[in-house]
Amino acid sequence: MQETYETRAPEPGADKPDPRRWWVLGVLSLALFVIILNNGLLNVALPSVMRDLDAGIGMTQWIVDGYALVFAACLLTAGTLSDRYGRKRATLLGMALFGAGSLVALAAQGAGQLIAARAVMGVAAALVMPGTLSILVDVFPERERPRAIAVWGSTSALGVAAGPVLGGALAAHFWWGSVFLVNLLPVIAVLVAGVVLLPESAAPVPRPADPVGAVLGAAAMVGLVYGAIHASGEGWTSAPVLGAFAAALLAGGAFAAWERRHPSPMVDFALLCRPVFLGASAGNMLLFSGLAGTLFVLTQYLQFGLGYGPLRAGLAIAPIAVAVGLGSAVSPWLARRTGPRGGVTTGLAVAAAGMLTLAAADTYPGILTGLTLMGIGVGVALSPATDTVLGLVPAERSGNAAALNDTMQELGNAVGVAVVGTVLARGADGPHGGGPSGFESAATGFGTAAAIVAAGAVLACVLLPGPTRPGRGTPVREGPRTGKDAPGDPAHRTADRPAVHRS
């Protein structure tokens, strides 16, 4: 498909960027880190939770899954609310709720209380995550934005890698509730610094509330994530999993029908039809699917296959965070020279190569090489993919676009664990048995994750635009438009009103 090149108008205030913007990025990154950290922080403490709270396997699943389910279900609504009422307000409210949920969780006296606390933390995380990205877009001029998003993405990957390390260390030396103490200091720091540093912004014209769309969208996401989470344990054809997917399909169909008739829909369906958006968002989702699936298998293989303890296994995975940082440092340079297509495709291909390296490794040096390649690939791909998604919407819709991007990442996490976990469970002895069959099962899981990420690389190569031609604008791939109602087209951004800034 032929590319067109159109010049964007200078962004408001681009000649005088906020002098506090790098401090703002630090606050936003810390907020993102703590909510991503909690996806895997509790896992290593589950045996203690089961013993102390007399919780069975079913209750334990809800303790773990409740956070992810509520988090994913509320993201779209939270993004819309942040656009309407203010992104700073939503972010700080989310952090305050997150701290309150953490306090309840660490003092929980029963499984039901802990599940409720984790659900509150999920709502809080949904309020925080879109705001971190939309505020970032608001304070950084376009020339600096790729580097800022690279730091933001590195923080996300660091949270994924640090969860097992911190959780393992605390669970090994203290009681299980201590894993939630990790949240309190970052929450306090973000609240105090955020009040002073974070700028307020919102849509200039508030969008009307859409409670029906919010309920239908949440129901669709709950069904998808619930089915994906439980597929690895109960099987893709089990009644609960099929029922969850069927409910998600019905709710999703009703959501699409309702939103198409709504005067101000939560999701821009014209944007969903654009090849550029599909290439960037699907690439992002498949990247996180492969990353989550790989780490799920690796943490088990290190412990059951190689005999590592929980803390040692967490420390063995930690180098991926450094590798993501290296990839993120290179990412803006590469994207400027090769465009979104080159940056995202290269990063996904390198990440897939790292997963294949893990599949062939049977000692830690080989595992370290695979982790390094995978981390560099994640760092290289994440920034241009995210920047491309946000570049397709006007400033006043950045919260909703960030929420849609984050929703696909959370869905990717759940699907990755489900798909790769199913492959792992089908091994002859599984990684729990160690030995050759256990290694072969883990290797098959890594190979499956590599195939998932490689599919994302193919999509990015086909659908994303190449480098900008000298003297022209940002390359934009033509896609379906709806006349003047195609807000996702950068060519129309000059007519968009800038976000309202409040002091």
Side-chain angles (χ1 to χ4, degrees):
M1 188 177 292
Q2 186 177 4
E3 293 173 357
T4 60
Y5 295 79
E6 306 182 56
T7 303
R8 299 182 187 179
E11 297 180 349
D15 55 333
K16 293 182 180 179
D18 191 329
R20 304 171 302 171
R21 62 194 181 280
W22 295 106
W23 289 102
V24 169
L25 177 60
V27 175
L28 298 175
S29 297
L30 183 59
L32 177 67
F33 172 78
V34 73
I35 64 174
I36 296 298
L37 180 76
N38 277 264
N39 274 321
L41 187 66
L42 185 60
N43 292 359
V44 291
L46 288 179
S48 298
V49 171
M50 295 174 70
R51 182 182 63 249
D52 293 351
L53 299 185
D54 193 24
I57 294 295
M59 277 291 189
T60 304
Q61 282 185 311
W62 280 109
I63 291 170
V64 174
D65 298 346
Y67 179 76
L69 281 172
V70 176
F71 188 3
C74 294
L75 271 169
L76 278 178
T77 302
T80 301
L81 291 175
S82 70
D83 283 342
R84 179 180 177 87
Y85 296 108
R87 291 142 194 162
K88 173 181 178 178
R89 186 175 290 113
T91 300
L92 295 183
L93 173 61
M95 289 306 294
L97 279 176
F98 199 90
S102 298
L103 285 172
V104 174
L106 69 87
Q109 299 298 311
Q113 191 177 8
L114 184 54
I115 291 170
R118 293 276 288 173
V120 169
M121 293 168 68
V123 173
L127 286 169
V128 172
M129 194 170 184
T132 63
L133 193 51
S134 53
I135 293 173
L136 182 157
V137 170
D138 193 51
V139 299
F140 279 90
E142 191 168 355
R143 66 181 182 277
E144 294 180 345
R145 194 173 299 151
R147 195 184 344 158
I149 291 177
V151 174
W152 179 89
S154 298
T155 304
S156 178
L158 178 61
V160 172
V165 178
L166 290 175
L170 291 169
H173 295 92
F174 305 100
W175 94 111
W176 61 265
S178 64
V179 299
F180 296 106
L181 287 173
V182 175
N183 299 331
L184 299 183
L185 186 58
V187 164
I188 294 170
V190 170
L191 288 174
V192 173
V195 169
V196 177
L197 292 173
L198 296 184
E200 183 60 285
S201 65
V205 179
R207 291 157 48 78
D210 183 14
V212 175
V215 171
L216 291 174
M221 283 306 304
V222 166
L224 279 173
V225 175
Y226 180 89
I229 287 173
H230 289 269
S232 59
E234 300 182 23
W236 291 91
T237 58
S238 64
V241 171
L242 289 178
F245 286 143
L249 183 62
L250 290 173
F255 175 76
W258 174 266
E259 293 295 295
R260 286 186 179 279
R261 293 195 302 268
H262 198 276
S264 187
M266 295 174 63
V267 174
D268 181 2
F269 287 94
L271 180 65
L272 290 175
C273 295
R274 296 204 56 188
V276 176
F277 177 82
L278 290 177
S281 61
N284 233 349
M285 184 181 74
L286 294 173
L287 175 65
F288 274 83
S289 290
L291 176 64
T294 297
L295 293 179
F296 175 76
V297 172
L298 185 59
T299 52
Q300 296 185 63
Y301 177 66
L302 287 172
Q303 293 180 75
F304 297 111
L306 299 184
Y308 287 20
L311 178 57
R312 187 182 177 191
L315 292 173
I317 294 172
I320 192 176
V322 178
V324 171
L326 293 175
S328 298
V330 174
S331 179
W333 173 87
L334 181 63
R336 282 195 302 269
R337 284 156 179 77
T338 65
R341 179 194 300 147
V344 178
T345 302
T346 300
L348 290 169
V350 172
M355 294 166 192
L356 287 176
T357 302
L358 288 173
D362 56 358
T363 60
Y364 186 69
I367 291 172
L368 180 60
T369 302
L371 283 173
T372 301
L373 287 172
M374 187 170 67
I376 289 173
V378 170
V380 168
L382 191 55
S383 173
T386 304
D387 193 36
T388 299
V389 169
L390 294 177
L392 294 172
V393 297
E396 63 264 26
R397 295 297 302 275
S398 63
N400 188 260
L404 186 57
N405 180 70
D406 298 338
T407 298
M408 296 192 74
Q409 287 186 7
E410 282 299 305
L411 182 59
N413 281 330
V415 171
V417 171
V419 172
V420 180
T422 300
V423 172
L424 187 67
R426 287 179 178 172
D429 296 325
H432 302 270
S437 60
F439 171 73
E440 289 169 6
S441 179
T444 305
F446 296 138
T448 302
I452 292 171
V453 176
V458 173
L459 283 176
C461 184
V462 172
L463 298 176
L464 291 181
T468 304
R469 295 175 184 172
R472 311 297 292 273
T474 300
V476 180
R477 214 179 260 283
E478 293 286 357
R481 299 185 185 179
T482 319
K484 66 179 181 179
D485 297 322
D489 195 328
H492 297 278
R493 289 186 70 179
T494 57
D496 292 325
R497 296 175 61 185
V500 172
H501 298 269
R502 305 185 185 125
S503 57

